Amino acid sequence: MITRRRAGLAAAAVATLALTAACGSSDNQSAGTTTTDNVQPAGQGTSAYGYGSSGSGQGSDGYGGQAGGDSGKPAATGPSAGTLALHQDAKLGPVVTDSKGMTLYRFDKDTAEPPKSNCSGSCATTWPPVPADGSSAPAGIAKSALGSVTRADGTKQLTIGGWPAYRYVKDTKAGDTKGQGVGGTWNALTAEGKKAVAQEPTDVSVLNQPELGQILVDGNGMTLYRFNKDSAWPMKFGCNDACLDTWKPAKPADRSKLKGIAPKLISTVTRPDGIRQLAVDCWPVYTFTGDKQPGDINGQGKMGLWFAVSKDGKKLTTTP
């Protein structure tokens, strides 16, 4: 009898531990993040911020196309976005992310003029609003594009180009864009607050940089520069040897993969070491290792010799 009772108590303890583990715990919460409830049903997804996924994320049950009812309680907004970033998505081009690389979205049923959020209640559980406090713009996003809107529950939500910004609970790692197109009403945000849309890959395109205007970028969205000590005709390369550790020759471009620039301005030159390099209006162009994301212009005006290139192939001498 004693043996059977001990066995029964052991089995009950194991069952209790298994149930606790299945419901989750606070161990996977980000440091310093406060949530109202860390417990989620077994099998639910968890984002980088510990959000529990609600619904399928598709159609009305996942709040892809509905605004959702207002529960009267503040939405679980999660942490501040910090310094925003532009991530070059392979299908969408540059999209806005928070400081951890999580994609930010806009909702078609919101408004930008004036800014208003129409996603609350259960909708805001699936699409947590991004807090306005603590958010700042990187080089590729105009500071004037950032703002805030007061939600019905009294909290302040970040806006980009007037559009309230959200994260998506099914995005679990940096660079995920699983919320793109959900319900036909949710889209990743561009630097101007517009909808990100699918586009063909490009080798050279035009980016609207807040301080310099329209500049040329490579297929990764990185700024292209030209060097005053090079020359177009006769062809001369002033950046060699150690210089190339910092300034990388841009790869040649396919003229069928251009966007916003006249094909006649694009050519390929061969360097003395045999490397083939992209040229714009006959000038060799480079990327700068000090630039880390689309819109960065850390190389602009370096030593008074390095300058970004306009969509017309001219050097831009404006210094930020």
Side-chain angles (χ1 to χ4, degrees):
M1 290 294 290
I2 294 176
T3 302
R4 290 182 180 177
R5 185 176 180 180
R6 287 178 177 172
L9 289 172
V14 171
T16 300
L17 288 171
L19 179 60
T20 302
C23 291
S25 68
S26 61
D27 291 344
N28 64 351
Q29 300 299 320
S30 298
T33 300
T34 301
T35 58
T36 56
D37 187 1
N38 291 333
V39 179
Q40 59 178 350
Q44 293 288 343
T46 303
S47 76
Y49 294 108
Y51 300 128
S53 178
S54 173
S56 67
Q58 301 291 336
S60 60
D61 59 346
Y63 305 100
Q66 292 187 358
D70 190 347
S71 66
K73 297 180 181 179
T77 55
S80 164
T83 300
L84 302 178
L86 283 180
H87 167 70
Q88 186 75 8
D89 183 81
K91 295 180 179 179
L92 302 175
V95 298
V96 181
T97 74
D98 66 13
S99 59
K100 290 187 176 181
M102 304 304 290
T103 303
L104 303 189
Y105 298 89
R106 51 173 274 180
F107 183 34
D108 281 353
K109 294 188 178 183
D110 288 348
T111 60
E113 296 179 357
K116 182 181 179 182
S117 170
N118 288 311
C119 176
S120 58
S122 298
C123 173
T125 300
T126 302
W127 303 90
V130 179
D133 291 343
S135 299
S136 59
I141 301 177
K143 292 180 176 63
S144 59
L146 302 190
S148 67
V149 61
T150 301
R151 296 174 55 79
D153 58 24
T155 59
K156 295 279 189 181
Q157 182 175 359
L158 174 69
T159 61
I160 300 176
W163 288 94
Y166 306 81
R167 298 182 179 100
Y168 182 45
V169 293
K170 289 200 171 184
D171 285 349
T172 57
K173 63 181 185 298
D176 276 356
T177 55
K178 295 175 183 176
Q180 178 68 14
V182 167
T185 55
W186 292 90
N187 296 88
L189 279 157
T190 70
E192 295 84 13
K194 296 180 181 179
K195 299 179 188 179
V197 295
Q199 52 188 281
E200 294 295 323
T202 59
D203 285 346
V204 180
S205 61
V206 176
L207 178 74
N208 190 26
Q209 209 285 333
E211 295 184 78
L212 300 183
Q214 294 185 315
I215 62 173
L216 295 184
V217 297
D218 69 5
N220 294 317
M222 305 306 291
T223 302
L224 294 173
Y225 299 90
R226 62 183 242 186
F227 185 36
N228 278 2
K229 291 188 176 182
D230 287 348
S231 66
W233 191 261
M235 181 64 63
K236 183 177 71 173
F237 297 90
C239 181
N240 299 287
D241 302 322
C243 174
L244 297 178
D245 293 335
T246 303
W247 303 89
K248 302 298 184 181
K251 295 180 180 179
D254 183 336
R255 286 191 176 185
S256 67
K257 295 182 178 180
L258 307 177
K259 185 177 181 181
I261 181 173
K264 66 180 182 180
L265 293 176
I266 298 297
S267 59
T268 300
V269 296
T270 302
R271 299 179 54 81
D273 56 10
I275 294 176
R276 290 166 59 79
Q277 182 175 0
L278 172 67
V280 178
D281 197 22
C282 295
W283 283 83
V285 291
Y286 306 77
T287 56
F288 179 49
T289 55
D291 288 344
K292 303 305 180 184
Q293 61 179 291
D296 278 356
I297 50 170
N298 297 316
Q300 179 67 5
K302 280 283 186 183
M303 299 175 287
L305 297 171
W306 293 91
F307 299 96
V309 184
S310 75
K311 68 175 184 178
D312 300 317
K314 308 301 181 184
K315 70 178 180 181
L316 294 166
T317 57
T318 301
T319 301

